[in-house]
Amino acid sequence: MTVARVEKEPSPDDGERMGPAGGLATVNEVRLIGRLSLAAEEKELPSGDQLTAFRVVVNRPRDKRRGSSRVQIDALECHTWVARVRRAAMTWQVGDVIEVNGSLRRRFFKTGGRLQSMTEVEVSSARRVSRAAAATRQAS
């Protein structure tokens, strides 16, 4: 996947993207297209709130400087609070190609008395791009 970066002058329509006193804009936007590698799982938090978590695997571009021919991947943990996305995610199967849009979030937690952190994608919208190959064959 190739990512193009386009820079433009901030316009008055950018509103909330403008930094303090018209400084540089800050943006936290993520778009992933990859394979579902861990089926969606619904979780109920102690507060009673519902969230759905899943994992998306994306291929990294090959690094020609390192001379490696191995395909490298990133497995990214995703979660969503959005009911529409939660319902859709529960219908996806491992291997489905999905597209997610959202923001990066870093959360902190204690495990065994040690403070740890994890970076996740908080998904605001998502869709299945294509079914897993095995699911397509079974349907025929």
Side-chain angles (χ1 to χ4, degrees), residues 8-105:
K8 67 176 184 93
E9 288 294 318
S11 70
D13 295 337
D14 288 338
E16 61 198 37
R17 290 189 177 190
M18 293 295 293
L24 280 178
T26 61
V27 178
N28 182 352
E29 295 176 349
V30 173
R31 177 177 178 237
L32 303 172
I33 299 175
R35 287 177 293 109
L36 186 71
S37 70
L38 184 65
E41 177 184 352
E42 291 184 322
K43 298 179 181 183
E44 183 171 343
L45 302 179
S47 65
D49 290 335
Q50 298 282 327
L51 91 109
T52 301
F54 51 93
R55 184 178 302 139
V56 177
V57 172
V58 295
N59 292 341
R60 286 187 188 175
R62 292 186 189 224
D63 187 349
K64 294 178 181 156
R65 293 174 295 166
R66 293 186 185 171
S68 175
S69 61
R70 285 187 15 217
V71 173
Q72 294 184 330
I73 61 167
D74 287 308
L76 302 156
E77 304 297 326
C78 300
H79 70 268
T80 186
W81 305 93
V82 180
R84 183 182 77 259
V85 179
R86 289 178 41 235
R87 285 189 302 271
M90 295 307 294
T91 68
W92 299 336
Q93 298 176 14
V94 170
D96 285 354
V97 175
I98 60 172
E99 176 181 359
V100 300
N101 296 285
S103 303
L104 282 180
R105 299 284 184 252

Side-chain angles (χ1 to χ4, degrees), residues 5-6 21 53 60 63 83 86 97-98 116 120 122-123 132 140:
R5 182 177 174 162
V6 177
R60 286 187 188 175
D63 187 349
R86 289 178 41 235
V97 175
I98 60 172
Q116 299 199 1
E120 301 172 314
E122 184 174 317
V123 178
S140 330

